[in-house]
Amino acid sequence: MTHKDAAMFPLIASCALLGIYIFFKIFSKEYVNLVLTAYFFFLGVLALAHILSPFVNKLIPDGFPDEFFHLIFTKGQGEQKEEVINYKFDYKDIICVGICSLMGGWYLWKKHWVANNLFGLAFAVNGVELLHLNSVITGTILLGGLFIYDIFWVFGTDVMVTVAKSFEAPIKLVFPQDFLESGVYGTNFAMLGLGDIVIPGIFIALLLRFDQSLKREQNVYFYSSFLAYFLGLITTVIVMTYFKHAQPALLYLVPACIGVPFLVALLRGDIKALFKYEDHPEEGTSDENKEEAKKKK
């Protein structure tokens, strides 16, 4: 992700959000959610299987008669032949997908908040694993842009809240606010969008890699930013409960996740190293590097 990509991300997200909002206004919510449910069932099963596979493999005894498979799917012929799918799996993976399909069936049948959160957490963990920030500057631009994005669409319009309530898919974590009275059968839910987990999560993951690059005994920046994120979430819940109004979580998470590690860097004398750090400089993530690569070609 380049600086330009990070700056454009909130604009692209805004267009997507507004498009979904208009879609719900034009078409029946029931039919839209029917399609979304089938789509996210398939994705959710795969995401959850990816997370649970290591645990399921440990539970299966060593004497299990396993067999390996290799699925290859290509398009085109000759020099234009392109590989579309190249996937290796075994019987253990099939068992894991079967278990996750049962969980998916529970989600389809009951739409229970626990099943929703299992899929949502699987999406979030996969997102943090797959998405990648290369520098603190890029991460700061991304978080800063989404900070404004979240505030505008929550406080300035009803778009964000309407989409979140209409979108019956595991793109958010939901928690029953009446849990103490009704237990797992609560009906009054608070919501946390997966973007409020994944976006700060990839920034915190970058700080962990920065910690590793310093080759010190303690991961100070990771733990401080993780604690700041947790406190930011607590603040969000408190403010939401007090005012009884939806809150843009990034309003509290972004200052916490950016401000705390920057303050720690100032106190420890690492501020220059923090801003200069690039995770994989050889990949060339800045716009300038891309221009230089074009000139060389």
Side-chain angles (χ1 to χ4, degrees), residues 282-296:
E282 71 276 4
E283 292 180 1
T285 55
S286 69
D287 297 325
E288 293 81 6
N289 289 344
K290 284 190 172 182
E291 291 298 326
E292 289 179 9
K294 287 180 182 178
K295 289 177 182 179
K296 289 180 181 178

Side-chain angles (χ1 to χ4, degrees), residues 220-221 224 259-270:
V220 175
Y221 293 96
S224 62
V260 170
F262 282 7
L263 179 60
V264 173
L266 280 171
L267 295 175
R268 294 172 65 91
D270 293 331

Side-chain angles (χ1 to χ4, degrees), residues 22-284:
I22 295 171
F23 208 76
F24 274 115
K25 290 293 184 181
I26 295 175
F27 299 100
S28 171
K29 185 173 74 172
E30 288 74 20
Y31 292 114
V32 174
N33 280 317
L34 185 64
V35 175
L36 292 174
T37 297
Y39 176 68
F40 279 98
F41 166 78
F42 177 73
L43 289 182
V45 168
L46 294 181
L48 194 58
H50 178 70
I51 300 299
L52 295 182
S53 181
F55 302 101
V56 172
N57 288 344
K58 289 181 180 179
L59 294 175
I60 297 176
D62 295 333
F64 178 78
D66 204 0
E67 191 73 40
F68 290 88
F69 303 91
H70 191 179
L71 178 65
I72 300 177
F73 184 73
T74 61
K75 69 174 182 178
Q77 292 182 347
E79 295 182 356
Q80 312 228 334
K81 190 174 185 181
E82 294 181 18
E83 194 174 84
V84 179
I85 298 175
N86 188 343
Y87 186 68
K88 297 178 181 179
F89 60 98
D90 56 15
Y91 282 142
K92 293 180 181 179
D93 293 322
I94 295 175
I95 291 173
C96 185
V97 170
I99 294 171
C100 294
S101 296
L102 292 176
M103 295 183 184
W106 177 36
Y107 171 74
L108 289 177
W109 182 37
K110 291 290 187 180
K111 288 291 179 70
H112 197 277
W113 65 272
V114 174
N116 175 90
N117 288 358
L118 284 173
F119 277 172
L121 287 172
F123 285 135
V125 172
N126 278 280
V128 174
E129 179 184 349
L130 295 174
L131 298 176
H132 186 85
L133 286 173
N134 202 47
S135 73
V136 173
I137 296 175
T138 303
T140 303
I141 294 171
L142 177 65
L143 286 173
L146 290 175
F147 173 79
I148 299 171
Y149 158 89
D150 215 19
I151 293 173
F152 173 76
W153 288 112
V154 174
F155 286 151
T157 70
D158 69 332
V159 173
M160 181 77 80
V161 176
T162 301
V163 170
K165 290 182 177 179
S166 303
F167 212 104
E168 294 179 6
I171 60 163
K172 56 185 180 287
L173 301 185
V174 293
F175 308 94
Q177 294 177 307
D178 53 349
F179 181 79
L180 294 178
E181 294 82 16
S182 307
V184 295
Y185 301 103
T187 55
N188 183 24
F189 294 106
M191 296 177 289
L192 178 67
L194 295 189
D196 300 326
I197 301 173
V198 174
I199 300 300
I202 60 177
F203 186 75
I204 294 172
L206 173 66
L207 292 175
L208 176 59
R209 297 193 293 273
F210 173 67
D211 271 319
Q212 297 295 317
S213 72
L214 296 176
K215 297 180 180 179
R216 295 172 182 168
E217 293 182 1
Q218 296 179 331
N219 297 320
V220 175
Y221 293 96
F222 169 73
Y223 288 119
S224 62
S225 59
F226 189 85
L227 178 61
Y229 176 80
F230 177 75
L231 294 176
L233 275 183
I234 297 298
T235 304
T236 306
V237 173
I238 292 172
V239 174
M240 181 180 65
T241 304
Y242 180 80
F243 289 103
K244 299 186 184 303
H245 187 278
Q247 296 293 314
L250 293 180
L251 171 62
Y252 310 97
L253 296 177
V254 169
C257 291
I258 293 179
V260 170
F262 282 7
L263 179 60
V264 173
L266 280 171
L267 295 175
R268 294 172 65 91
D270 293 331
I271 193 69
K272 287 185 178 179
L274 182 65
F275 278 103
K276 287 183 179 180
Y277 174 72
E278 287 190 352
D279 196 23
H280 293 290
E282 71 276 4
E283 292 180 1

